[in-house]
Each structure stands twice: as C-alpha cells, then as structure tokens.
Amino acid sequence: MIKKNVPIPIYYQIIELIQEQIEKGELKPGDSLPSEREFAEKYQISRMTVRQAFTQLVNNGYLHRLQGKGTFVAEQKIEQTLHGLTSFTEDMKARGMKPGSQLIHFEIIPATSQIARQLAIKEYGPVYEIKRIRLADDVPMALETNYISANLIKGLTEQIVNQSLYAYIENQLNFRIDHASQVIESSVANQMESQHLNIQKGAPVMRIQRNTFLQNGTPVELVKSSYRADRYKFMIQMKR
C-alpha cells in the first residue's frame, strides 16, 4: 500500500513495495510491470513520481526497460561473498548454475613492466594472455583477462583454459593456491565489454583486479575482470 499521510516519500514507498514483491516471489524475473500511467492511476499519484521510482529500481538492477515494450523484472543478481578464495567455476557450481567460458584470445606475449612486477618475473618474460567471457547458465557475466607466467605454469592449452584454471594448477600441476589480493572499483562498459557482455556501452560494470599467490608466496596469476553490475553483486562479511 502507498500511504500519503506518512513522512516517507511516495517514490521511496513504491521502491520498497516493488522490491518486497520481487523478494517474496510475487513478481518473478521477466514479469512485466504496469505502465507508469497505469501505476499512477491505480495509486492516484503523479507519473513523475512513478518514473522516479522505476528509474531507481532500474539503476539498482531490480527492473529493466525494453524500448517500446515496457518495464520488466530483471534477473536476480548473483551474490559472491568475499571471505574465501574461489574460482568463477567453483562459485557457479556452488549456486547450482552451469559455469562456462568462451575463449576469445590465447597467446604467449612478453610481459610489460606492470605485469612483470605483479607476477614477480623479468620484464619481457613469457606470459600467457588469456581473454575469456565467463558464463553462468550460458549468460555472459564477466569479461576476464588472465596473465600467467609461462615459465611457472607449463602446458596450458586452449582446451585447458576453457575449463577451470585453478583445477588445472592444483590438480594437474600439484601447486597449492593459497591467497590473493583484490581491488574492486565501479566503472562503465567500454566498446569491447559492451560487445562481449551483451550490455550497452556506458552500462555500469565492476572492474576487479586480482593477484593470486601460491602457498610459498609466488604470484601465480594476475587477472583483470569486468563484471556486469546488473547481474552480479559482492557481499563482505565484517567482524569488529
């Protein structure tokens, strides 16, 4: 219900109403919402107020608009808890989703100074550059570029990198992946990200840079990823 005699802004009440319906399953992904005019008439409020609420819900990833068709409930975001070191494949399997990869680039290149520094190798040393689209239930979730020392991790092939890199490193090469440092920042999609993630150029993305280390402290991987902000969110548990 929308209450006009309380100090809570009406647009915010609309947001809470729709969010609650989505979270309770009363509105499911793909369901269409009434038009702004119909919604305004039903609750006897202005269309501008409804538009403000819908826009906020779109920006927050609860709804999405299709030009000429209307406003629909968006797919639920995948939540990743940042308290352990797992691979994309492991994350998706834990959620009962089918992980996948689409390899778009694979070659050995000379390490730039920045890559060499992150991997603790000599500048111009050989590194694998691996670009993949990461999929969950066949839907593009992230564009990922990995840099791995070719002198440390030997025998990588296109077939292997289309699976789980972590599984190959630990199960086939018997290395122990121990910890990582990770930086997350908000950004907007460039042309390449727009093309491979099926989102508009300028759409919000989360850029992540992770440096992963073996148990002996050796850097094993530098990965730069761009995640769709409309389908992914991160949750951090903190304790005082």
Side-chain angles (χ1 to χ4, degrees), residues 22-50:
I22 292 173
E23 289 164 1
K24 287 183 176 179
E26 296 170 7
L27 285 173
K28 295 179 170 54
D31 285 354
S32 62
L33 270 70
S35 67
E36 292 175 2
R37 178 183 58 79
E38 292 169 336
F39 205 99
E41 290 177 354
K42 178 179 179 179
Y43 293 103
Q44 297 184 335
I45 54 181
S46 73
R47 287 183 63 177
M48 185 177 296
T49 299
V50 177

PDB file of all heavy atoms in Angstrom, residues 22-50:
ATOM      1  N   ILE A  22       9.243  -8.533  -5.338  1.00  0.00           N
ATOM      2  CA  ILE A  22      10.265  -9.330  -6.016  1.00  0.00           C
ATOM      3  C   ILE A  22      10.896 -10.329  -5.054  1.00  0.00           C
ATOM      4  O   ILE A  22      11.063 -11.508  -5.360  1.00  0.00           O
ATOM      5  CB  ILE A  22      11.336  -8.414  -6.643  1.00  0.00           C
ATOM      6  CG1 ILE A  22      10.734  -7.599  -7.803  1.00  0.00           C
ATOM      7  CG2 ILE A  22      12.528  -9.238  -7.141  1.00  0.00           C
ATOM      8  CD1 ILE A  22      11.660  -6.543  -8.364  1.00  0.00           C
ATOM      9  N   GLU A  23      11.235  -9.857  -3.849  1.00  0.00           N
ATOM     10  CA  GLU A  23      11.918 -10.713  -2.878  1.00  0.00           C
ATOM     11  C   GLU A  23      11.015 -11.827  -2.365  1.00  0.00           C
ATOM     12  O   GLU A  23      11.483 -12.912  -2.008  1.00  0.00           O
ATOM     13  CB  GLU A  23      12.449  -9.856  -1.725  1.00  0.00           C
ATOM     14  CG  GLU A  23      13.637  -8.990  -2.139  1.00  0.00           C
ATOM     15  CD  GLU A  23      13.939  -7.867  -1.162  1.00  0.00           C
ATOM     16  OE1 GLU A  23      13.226  -7.770  -0.134  1.00  0.00           O
ATOM     17  OE2 GLU A  23      14.877  -7.085  -1.431  1.00  0.00           O
ATOM     18  N   LYS A  24       9.691 -11.585  -2.333  1.00  0.00           N
ATOM     19  CA  LYS A  24       8.744 -12.615  -1.897  1.00  0.00           C
ATOM     20  C   LYS A  24       8.361 -13.565  -3.023  1.00  0.00           C
ATOM     21  O   LYS A  24       7.671 -14.558  -2.794  1.00  0.00           O
ATOM     22  CB  LYS A  24       7.481 -11.959  -1.333  1.00  0.00           C
ATOM     23  CG  LYS A  24       7.655 -11.319   0.036  1.00  0.00           C
ATOM     24  CD  LYS A  24       6.328 -10.756   0.526  1.00  0.00           C
ATOM     25  CE  LYS A  24       6.456 -10.204   1.940  1.00  0.00           C
ATOM     26  NZ  LYS A  24       5.156  -9.634   2.412  1.00  0.00           N
ATOM     27  N   GLY A  25       8.798 -13.246  -4.242  1.00  0.00           N
ATOM     28  CA  GLY A  25       8.464 -14.093  -5.375  1.00  0.00           C
ATOM     29  C   GLY A  25       7.126 -13.796  -6.005  1.00  0.00           C
ATOM     30  O   GLY A  25       6.670 -14.517  -6.897  1.00  0.00           O
ATOM     31  N   GLU A  26       6.471 -12.718  -5.543  1.00  0.00           N
ATOM     32  CA  GLU A  26       5.194 -12.325  -6.139  1.00  0.00           C
ATOM     33  C   GLU A  26       5.413 -11.767  -7.546  1.00  0.00           C
ATOM     34  O   GLU A  26       4.546 -11.891  -8.414  1.00  0.00           O
ATOM     35  CB  GLU A  26       4.495 -11.291  -5.246  1.00  0.00           C
ATOM     36  CG  GLU A  26       4.120 -11.841  -3.866  1.00  0.00           C
ATOM     37  CD  GLU A  26       3.659 -10.758  -2.912  1.00  0.00           C
ATOM     38  OE1 GLU A  26       3.500  -9.588  -3.359  1.00  0.00           O
ATOM     39  OE2 GLU A  26       3.456 -11.056  -1.713  1.00  0.00           O
ATOM     40  N   LEU A  27       6.561 -11.139  -7.746  1.00  0.00           N
ATOM     41  CA  LEU A  27       6.998 -10.717  -9.072  1.00  0.00           C
ATOM     42  C   LEU A  27       8.240 -11.521  -9.424  1.00  0.00           C
ATOM     43  O   LEU A  27       9.200 -11.549  -8.647  1.00  0.00           O
ATOM     44  CB  LEU A  27       7.316  -9.215  -9.101  1.00  0.00           C
ATOM     45  CG  LEU A  27       6.132  -8.248  -9.094  1.00  0.00           C
ATOM     46  CD1 LEU A  27       6.627  -6.813  -8.959  1.00  0.00           C
ATOM     47  CD2 LEU A  27       5.298  -8.394 -10.366  1.00  0.00           C
ATOM     48  N   LYS A  28       8.213 -12.180 -10.568  1.00  0.00           N
ATOM     49  CA  LYS A  28       9.319 -13.046 -10.962  1.00  0.00           C
ATOM     50  C   LYS A  28      10.072 -12.458 -12.156  1.00  0.00           C
ATOM     51  O   LYS A  28       9.521 -11.629 -12.889  1.00  0.00           O
ATOM     52  CB  LYS A  28       8.781 -14.433 -11.314  1.00  0.00           C
ATOM     53  CG  LYS A  28       8.167 -15.161 -10.121  1.00  0.00           C
ATOM     54  CD  LYS A  28       7.636 -16.521 -10.516  1.00  0.00           C
ATOM     55  CE  LYS A  28       7.241 -17.335  -9.285  1.00  0.00           C
ATOM     56  NZ  LYS A  28       6.291 -16.614  -8.415  1.00  0.00           N
ATOM     57  N   PRO A  29      11.359 -12.866 -12.337  1.00  0.00           N
ATOM     58  CA  PRO A  29      12.133 -12.361 -13.480  1.00  0.00           C
ATOM     59  C   PRO A  29      11.373 -12.542 -14.790  1.00  0.00           C
ATOM     60  O   PRO A  29      10.844 -13.621 -15.071  1.00  0.00           O
ATOM     61  CB  PRO A  29      13.402 -13.228 -13.445  1.00  0.00           C
ATOM     62  CG  PRO A  29      13.554 -13.592 -12.012  1.00  0.00           C
ATOM     63  CD  PRO A  29      12.165 -13.764 -11.481  1.00  0.00           C
ATOM     64  N   GLY A  30      11.297 -11.460 -15.560  1.00  0.00           N
ATOM     65  CA  GLY A  30      10.588 -11.487 -16.829  1.00  0.00           C
ATOM     66  C   GLY A  30       9.166 -10.976 -16.757  1.00  0.00           C
ATOM     67  O   GLY A  30       8.566 -10.663 -17.784  1.00  0.00           O
ATOM     68  N   ASP A  31       8.603 -10.877 -15.536  1.00  0.00           N
ATOM     69  CA  ASP A  31       7.249 -10.343 -15.396  1.00  0.00           C
ATOM     70  C   ASP A  31       7.232  -8.869 -15.795  1.00  0.00           C
ATOM     71  O   ASP A  31       8.162  -8.113 -15.471  1.00  0.00           O
ATOM     72  CB  ASP A  31       6.754 -10.461 -13.954  1.00  0.00           C
ATOM     73  CG  ASP A  31       6.365 -11.892 -13.586  1.00  0.00           C
ATOM     74  OD1 ASP A  31       6.375 -12.750 -14.488  1.00  0.00           O
ATOM     75  OD2 ASP A  31       6.066 -12.136 -12.401  1.00  0.00           O
ATOM     76  N   SER A  32       6.163  -8.465 -16.467  1.00  0.00           N
ATOM     77  CA  SER A  32       6.033  -7.062 -16.852  1.00  0.00           C
ATOM     78  C   SER A  32       5.310  -6.282 -15.757  1.00  0.00           C
ATOM     79  O   SER A  32       4.435  -6.822 -15.066  1.00  0.00           O
ATOM     80  CB  SER A  32       5.272  -6.934 -18.174  1.00  0.00           C
ATOM     81  OG  SER A  32       3.952  -7.439 -18.027  1.00  0.00           O
ATOM     82  N   LEU A  33       5.685  -5.028 -15.599  1.00  0.00           N
ATOM     83  CA  LEU A  33       5.024  -4.144 -14.645  1.00  0.00           C
ATOM     84  C   LEU A  33       3.994  -3.285 -15.372  1.00  0.00           C
ATOM     85  O   LEU A  33       4.095  -3.085 -16.586  1.00  0.00           O
ATOM     86  CB  LEU A  33       6.050  -3.236 -13.952  1.00  0.00           C
ATOM     87  CG  LEU A  33       6.653  -3.802 -12.654  1.00  0.00           C
ATOM     88  CD1 LEU A  33       7.578  -4.969 -12.963  1.00  0.00           C
ATOM     89  CD2 LEU A  33       7.395  -2.716 -11.894  1.00  0.00           C
ATOM     90  N   PRO A  34       3.016  -2.777 -14.633  1.00  0.00           N
ATOM     91  CA  PRO A  34       2.080  -1.831 -15.253  1.00  0.00           C
ATOM     92  C   PRO A  34       2.844  -0.633 -15.795  1.00  0.00           C
ATOM     93  O   PRO A  34       3.945  -0.311 -15.324  1.00  0.00           O
ATOM     94  CB  PRO A  34       1.166  -1.432 -14.094  1.00  0.00           C
ATOM     95  CG  PRO A  34       1.311  -2.519 -13.076  1.00  0.00           C
ATOM     96  CD  PRO A  34       2.712  -3.015 -13.205  1.00  0.00           C
ATOM     97  N   SER A  35       2.275   0.029 -16.792  1.00  0.00           N
ATOM     98  CA  SER A  35       2.909   1.240 -17.314  1.00  0.00           C
ATOM     99  C   SER A  35       2.909   2.316 -16.239  1.00  0.00           C
ATOM    100  O   SER A  35       2.188   2.224 -15.229  1.00  0.00           O
ATOM    101  CB  SER A  35       2.153   1.742 -18.541  1.00  0.00           C
ATOM    102  OG  SER A  35       0.863   2.195 -18.161  1.00  0.00           O
ATOM    103  N   GLU A  36       3.740   3.337 -16.443  1.00  0.00           N
ATOM    104  CA  GLU A  36       3.780   4.440 -15.481  1.00  0.00           C
ATOM    105  C   GLU A  36       2.393   5.064 -15.314  1.00  0.00           C
ATOM    106  O   GLU A  36       1.984   5.412 -14.204  1.00  0.00           O
ATOM    107  CB  GLU A  36       4.790   5.494 -15.945  1.00  0.00           C
ATOM    108  CG  GLU A  36       6.230   5.014 -15.905  1.00  0.00           C
ATOM    109  CD  GLU A  36       7.187   6.038 -16.482  1.00  0.00           C
ATOM    110  OE1 GLU A  36       6.726   7.130 -16.873  1.00  0.00           O
ATOM    111  OE2 GLU A  36       8.408   5.759 -16.546  1.00  0.00           O
ATOM    112  N   ARG A  37       1.663   5.203 -16.419  1.00  0.00           N
ATOM    113  CA  ARG A  37       0.324   5.792 -16.358  1.00  0.00           C
ATOM    114  C   ARG A  37      -0.619   4.911 -15.546  1.00  0.00           C
ATOM    115  O   ARG A  37      -1.362   5.408 -14.680  1.00  0.00           O
ATOM    116  CB  ARG A  37      -0.233   5.998 -17.765  1.00  0.00           C
ATOM    117  CG  ARG A  37      -1.652   6.579 -17.807  1.00  0.00           C
ATOM    118  CD  ARG A  37      -2.163   6.697 -19.231  1.00  0.00           C
ATOM    119  NE  ARG A  37      -2.164   5.409 -19.911  1.00  0.00           N
ATOM    120  CZ  ARG A  37      -3.113   4.493 -19.728  1.00  0.00           C
ATOM    121  NH1 ARG A  37      -4.112   4.709 -18.891  1.00  0.00           N
ATOM    122  NH2 ARG A  37      -3.063   3.348 -20.384  1.00  0.00           N
ATOM    123  N   GLU A  38      -0.594   3.597 -15.802  1.00  0.00           N
ATOM    124  CA  GLU A  38      -1.474   2.681 -15.076  1.00  0.00           C
ATOM    125  C   GLU A  38      -1.134   2.654 -13.595  1.00  0.00           C
ATOM    126  O   GLU A  38      -2.033   2.636 -12.733  1.00  0.00           O
ATOM    127  CB  GLU A  38      -1.349   1.272 -15.670  1.00  0.00           C
ATOM    128  CG  GLU A  38      -1.907   1.142 -17.078  1.00  0.00           C
ATOM    129  CD  GLU A  38      -1.533  -0.180 -17.728  1.00  0.00           C
ATOM    130  OE1 GLU A  38      -0.513  -0.787 -17.326  1.00  0.00           O
ATOM    131  OE2 GLU A  38      -2.268  -0.603 -18.640  1.00  0.00           O
ATOM    132  N   PHE A  39       0.156   2.655 -13.291  1.00  0.00           N
ATOM    133  CA  PHE A  39       0.587   2.638 -11.899  1.00  0.00           C
ATOM    134  C   PHE A  39       0.147   3.919 -11.192  1.00  0.00           C
ATOM    135  O   PHE A  39      -0.336   3.889 -10.052  1.00  0.00           O
ATOM    136  CB  PHE A  39       2.108   2.484 -11.829  1.00  0.00           C
ATOM    137  CG  PHE A  39       2.612   1.876 -10.547  1.00  0.00           C
ATOM    138  CD1 PHE A  39       2.932   0.526 -10.477  1.00  0.00           C
ATOM    139  CD2 PHE A  39       2.781   2.651  -9.408  1.00  0.00           C
ATOM    140  CE1 PHE A  39       3.400  -0.036  -9.295  1.00  0.00           C
ATOM    141  CE2 PHE A  39       3.256   2.100  -8.236  1.00  0.00           C
ATOM    142  CZ  PHE A  39       3.561   0.743  -8.169  1.00  0.00           C
ATOM    143  N   ALA A  40       0.313   5.054 -11.868  1.00  0.00           N
ATOM    144  CA  ALA A  40      -0.069   6.344 -11.290  1.00  0.00           C
ATOM    145  C   ALA A  40      -1.573   6.412 -11.041  1.00  0.00           C
ATOM    146  O   ALA A  40      -2.023   6.899  -9.998  1.00  0.00           O
ATOM    147  CB  ALA A  40       0.380   7.475 -12.208  1.00  0.00           C
ATOM    148  N   GLU A  41      -2.353   5.907 -11.986  1.00  0.00           N
ATOM    149  CA  GLU A  41      -3.807   5.933 -11.825  1.00  0.00           C
ATOM    150  C   GLU A  41      -4.265   5.011 -10.701  1.00  0.00           C
ATOM    151  O   GLU A  41      -5.180   5.341  -9.935  1.00  0.00           O
ATOM    152  CB  GLU A  41      -4.482   5.528 -13.143  1.00  0.00           C
ATOM    153  CG  GLU A  41      -4.344   6.583 -14.242  1.00  0.00           C
ATOM    154  CD  GLU A  41      -4.951   6.122 -15.558  1.00  0.00           C
ATOM    155  OE1 GLU A  41      -5.373   4.935 -15.638  1.00  0.00           O
ATOM    156  OE2 GLU A  41      -4.987   6.938 -16.503  1.00  0.00           O
ATOM    157  N   LYS A  42      -3.623   3.847 -10.581  1.00  0.00           N
ATOM    158  CA  LYS A  42      -4.005   2.879  -9.547  1.00  0.00           C
ATOM    159  C   LYS A  42      -3.820   3.464  -8.155  1.00  0.00           C
ATOM    160  O   LYS A  42      -4.678   3.279  -7.274  1.00  0.00           O
ATOM    161  CB  LYS A  42      -3.179   1.602  -9.698  1.00  0.00           C
ATOM    162  CG  LYS A  42      -3.481   0.548  -8.635  1.00  0.00           C
ATOM    163  CD  LYS A  42      -2.653  -0.707  -8.858  1.00  0.00           C
ATOM    164  CE  LYS A  42      -2.955  -1.740  -7.773  1.00  0.00           C
ATOM    165  NZ  LYS A  42      -2.174  -2.995  -7.974  1.00  0.00           N
ATOM    166  N   TYR A  43      -2.706   4.169  -7.938  1.00  0.00           N
ATOM    167  CA  TYR A  43      -2.407   4.692  -6.603  1.00  0.00           C
ATOM    168  C   TYR A  43      -2.693   6.191  -6.477  1.00  0.00           C
ATOM    169  O   TYR A  43      -2.430   6.775  -5.429  1.00  0.00           O
ATOM    170  CB  TYR A  43      -0.945   4.391  -6.246  1.00  0.00           C
ATOM    171  CG  TYR A  43      -0.674   2.920  -6.066  1.00  0.00           C
ATOM    172  CD1 TYR A  43      -0.026   2.178  -7.060  1.00  0.00           C
ATOM    173  CD2 TYR A  43      -1.071   2.248  -4.914  1.00  0.00           C
ATOM    174  CE1 TYR A  43       0.226   0.821  -6.910  1.00  0.00           C
ATOM    175  CE2 TYR A  43      -0.829   0.899  -4.746  1.00  0.00           C
ATOM    176  CZ  TYR A  43      -0.180   0.185  -5.753  1.00  0.00           C
ATOM    177  OH  TYR A  43       0.052  -1.156  -5.590  1.00  0.00           O
ATOM    178  N   GLN A  44      -3.216   6.778  -7.551  1.00  0.00           N
ATOM    179  CA  GLN A  44      -3.575   8.201  -7.563  1.00  0.00           C
ATOM    180  C   GLN A  44      -2.385   9.076  -7.166  1.00  0.00           C
ATOM    181  O   GLN A  44      -2.449   9.887  -6.246  1.00  0.00           O
ATOM    182  CB  GLN A  44      -4.774   8.465  -6.643  1.00  0.00           C
ATOM    183  CG  GLN A  44      -6.040   7.747  -7.103  1.00  0.00           C
ATOM    184  CD  GLN A  44      -7.254   8.086  -6.247  1.00  0.00           C
ATOM    185  OE1 GLN A  44      -7.122   8.469  -5.088  1.00  0.00           O
ATOM    186  NE2 GLN A  44      -8.437   7.943  -6.826  1.00  0.00           N
ATOM    187  N   ILE A  45      -1.295   8.854  -7.890  1.00  0.00           N
ATOM    188  CA  ILE A  45      -0.074   9.636  -7.695  1.00  0.00           C
ATOM    189  C   ILE A  45       0.389  10.112  -9.069  1.00  0.00           C
ATOM    190  O   ILE A  45      -0.153   9.711 -10.093  1.00  0.00           O
ATOM    191  CB  ILE A  45       1.038   8.804  -7.005  1.00  0.00           C
ATOM    192  CG1 ILE A  45       1.282   7.505  -7.795  1.00  0.00           C
ATOM    193  CG2 ILE A  45       0.662   8.504  -5.567  1.00  0.00           C
ATOM    194  CD1 ILE A  45       2.336   6.595  -7.204  1.00  0.00           C
ATOM    195  N   SER A  46       1.407  10.972  -9.091  1.00  0.00           N
ATOM    196  CA  SER A  46       1.856  11.525 -10.361  1.00  0.00           C
ATOM    197  C   SER A  46       2.742  10.541 -11.116  1.00  0.00           C
ATOM    198  O   SER A  46       3.443   9.717 -10.518  1.00  0.00           O
ATOM    199  CB  SER A  46       2.629  12.824 -10.125  1.00  0.00           C
ATOM    200  OG  SER A  46       3.906  12.562  -9.579  1.00  0.00           O
ATOM    201  N   ARG A  47       2.697  10.635 -12.445  1.00  0.00           N
ATOM    202  CA  ARG A  47       3.551   9.787 -13.273  1.00  0.00           C
ATOM    203  C   ARG A  47       5.023  10.093 -13.038  1.00  0.00           C
ATOM    204  O   ARG A  47       5.875   9.206 -13.115  1.00  0.00           O
ATOM    205  CB  ARG A  47       3.213   9.986 -14.753  1.00  0.00           C
ATOM    206  CG  ARG A  47       1.889   9.363 -15.161  1.00  0.00           C
ATOM    207  CD  ARG A  47       1.636   9.513 -16.644  1.00  0.00           C
ATOM    208  NE  ARG A  47       2.640   8.820 -17.448  1.00  0.00           N
ATOM    209  CZ  ARG A  47       2.597   8.761 -18.777  1.00  0.00           C
ATOM    210  NH1 ARG A  47       1.608   9.366 -19.438  1.00  0.00           N
ATOM    211  NH2 ARG A  47       3.531   8.108 -19.449  1.00  0.00           N
ATOM    212  N   MET A  48       5.334  11.359 -12.719  1.00  0.00           N
ATOM    213  CA  MET A  48       6.732  11.729 -12.465  1.00  0.00           C
ATOM    214  C   MET A  48       7.275  10.981 -11.255  1.00  0.00           C
ATOM    215  O   MET A  48       8.426  10.524 -11.247  1.00  0.00           O
ATOM    216  CB  MET A  48       6.842  13.246 -12.245  1.00  0.00           C
ATOM    217  CG  MET A  48       8.278  13.737 -12.106  1.00  0.00           C
ATOM    218  SD  MET A  48       8.363  15.527 -11.951  1.00  0.00           S
ATOM    219  CE  MET A  48       7.725  16.025 -13.553  1.00  0.00           C
ATOM    220  N   THR A  49       6.431  10.796 -10.232  1.00  0.00           N
ATOM    221  CA  THR A  49       6.845  10.068  -9.033  1.00  0.00           C
ATOM    222  C   THR A  49       7.083   8.600  -9.365  1.00  0.00           C
ATOM    223  O   THR A  49       8.066   7.996  -8.920  1.00  0.00           O
ATOM    224  CB  THR A  49       5.770  10.191  -7.933  1.00  0.00           C
ATOM    225  OG1 THR A  49       5.598  11.574  -7.592  1.00  0.00           O
ATOM    226  CG2 THR A  49       6.183   9.421  -6.684  1.00  0.00           C
ATOM    227  N   VAL A  50       6.182   8.026 -10.177  1.00  0.00           N
ATOM    228  CA  VAL A  50       6.347   6.631 -10.586  1.00  0.00           C
ATOM    229  C   VAL A  50       7.613   6.466 -11.420  1.00  0.00           C
ATOM    230  O   VAL A  50       8.392   5.526 -11.212  1.00  0.00           O
ATOM    231  CB  VAL A  50       5.121   6.153 -11.393  1.00  0.00           C
ATOM    232  CG1 VAL A  50       5.328   4.718 -11.878  1.00  0.00           C
ATOM    233  CG2 VAL A  50       3.848   6.247 -10.556  1.00  0.00           C
TER     234      VAL A  50
END
